[in-house]
Amino acid sequence: MIQEVADHVVDHWHEPDQGIWEMRGEPRHHVYSKAMAWVALDRALRLLGPHPHWETARDDILQAIVTQGIDPRGGSLMQAFDHDELDAALLLIPLLDIPIDKAVLAQTVTAVEKRLRDSDVVHRYLTPDGLPGSEGAFLICSFWLVDALLTFGQAEEARTLFERLLAKANDVGLYAEEIDPERGLFLGNYPQAFTHLALINSAILLQLYEDGSTTALAGTHADRARRAAASMVPDGGNALWRDSAAPDEDTGAYQAILDLRSVS
């Protein structure tokens, strides 16, 4: 199954798409989509071993991102190739362990915050998307900003933003999909599971940062999951990583599986 997924990525990564937000406009070469195609191949290689076609495609994807996905004026990643708008999904890229220049990633966080942040909340994008009307800020994106700030050592700002976002929950501690930045009213789907999952993830990353600074946030999602389990579960959380029927099995496969799950 993993091989079929990787082969599919090799065959189709170069095609335009509607992006993570399923925009109704013309398909574009969304940078976040390309980044996740890179992740799919990178994790498949970690799990299944060397594969020349996957390695070549992975390298080609990275080259496409750094040559076509960076704004030549501002130095940040763009929402899509040849399209200098910004997208809050770019806040996730620093946590994917992609070998993109750290200065570019840091500038991307700065640019997204400047362009899409409205008080304590973050819009997913401000690009026309083929739908009429306007929308509120997306709470999941607001927690993504917490994570991105932590990644670059802005812990005090990240903690402050996290606490302010916690205060926006309703009287039973739930969140909607969106929020009106001016009035603080919930909009969209309610309750929204993605918002709550983002909150939990930010809380875990804040604890990891407190335990080990930016070093504890390095690597893949699986790396951070391992560190979180080690700090929160007795005996280092070994039960989460090893099959009791195969205690000598390399845990690298488990790390790769978690990262593939994060892609889906």
Side-chain angles (χ1 to χ4, degrees):
M1 182 190 71
I2 295 170
Q3 181 173 342
E4 289 181 1
V5 169
D7 288 341
H8 180 85
V9 171
V10 169
D11 292 338
H12 297 283
W13 74 264
H14 58 279
E15 298 174 4
D17 59 74
Q18 306 305 136
I20 187 176
W21 308 116
E22 300 176 343
M23 294 181 179
R24 270 58 166 187
E26 289 296 318
R28 293 183 179 274
H29 292 280
H30 290 92
V31 170
Y32 180 73
S33 299
K34 306 302 184 191
M36 294 308 288
W38 185 95
V39 169
L41 293 175
D42 182 73
R43 304 319 192 250
L45 284 162
R46 296 188 192 203
L47 182 61
L48 300 181
H51 192 295
H53 293 307
W54 299 350
E55 292 169 9
T56 298
R58 182 186 61 174
D59 294 344
D60 289 346
I61 294 169
L62 179 62
Q63 183 66 12
I65 292 172
V66 299
T67 58
Q68 301 178 63
I70 298 176
D71 187 343
R73 297 172 299 175
S76 69
L77 294 172
M78 302 184 293
Q79 183 182 52
F81 294 173
D82 302 318
H83 185 66
D84 62 359
E85 291 293 331
L86 291 164
D87 190 317
L90 299 173
L91 295 171
L92 295 169
I93 294 181
L95 290 163
L96 297 179
D97 202 30
I98 299 180
I100 296 173
D101 191 301
K102 295 295 184 184
V104 171
L105 297 177
Q107 182 57 33
T108 300
V109 176
T110 299
V112 169
E113 185 172 18
K114 181 178 180 180
R115 175 69 172 145
L116 300 181
R117 182 173 179 176
D118 188 342
S119 185
D120 297 326
V121 291
V122 178
H123 292 274
R124 56 180 180 169
Y125 54 77
L126 297 177
T127 313
D129 59 6
L131 294 174
S134 59
E135 64 183 22
F138 268 59
L139 286 160
I140 188 174
C141 302
S142 308
F143 285 108
W144 289 349
L145 178 57
V146 172
D147 304 343
L149 291 172
L150 274 178
T151 302
F152 290 99
Q154 297 173 251
E156 183 175 351
E157 183 177 354
R159 170 68 70 176
T160 298
L161 177 58
F162 181 74
E163 297 291 348
R164 292 173 70 89
L165 291 172
L166 289 182
K168 296 186 184 300
N170 68 4
D171 57 326
V172 291
L174 296 177
Y175 294 83
E177 180 180 30
E178 305 173 38
I179 190 169
D180 184 320
E182 295 183 2
R183 297 178 295 168
L185 299 177
F186 283 166
L187 305 169
N189 296 320
Y190 169 86
Q192 174 56 271
F194 285 140
T195 304
H196 297 87
L197 289 171
L199 183 160
I200 293 167
N201 191 63
S202 292
I204 291 171
L205 295 186
L206 282 162
Q207 184 61 55
L208 283 175
Y209 184 91
E210 184 175 326
D211 293 341
S213 190
T214 54
T215 302
L217 303 182
T220 68
H221 292 307
D223 294 327
R224 290 181 290 276
R226 173 189 286 277
R227 295 179 196 125
S231 66
M232 299 176 190
V233 180
D235 300 322
N238 287 332
L240 298 177
W241 300 95
R242 289 186 181 273
D243 184 341
S244 60
D248 297 325
E249 187 171 353
D250 184 357
T251 59
Y254 293 91
Q255 293 186 32
I257 287 170
L258 280 183
D259 280 288
L260 286 166
R261 287 177 179 170
S262 75
V263 172
S264 65

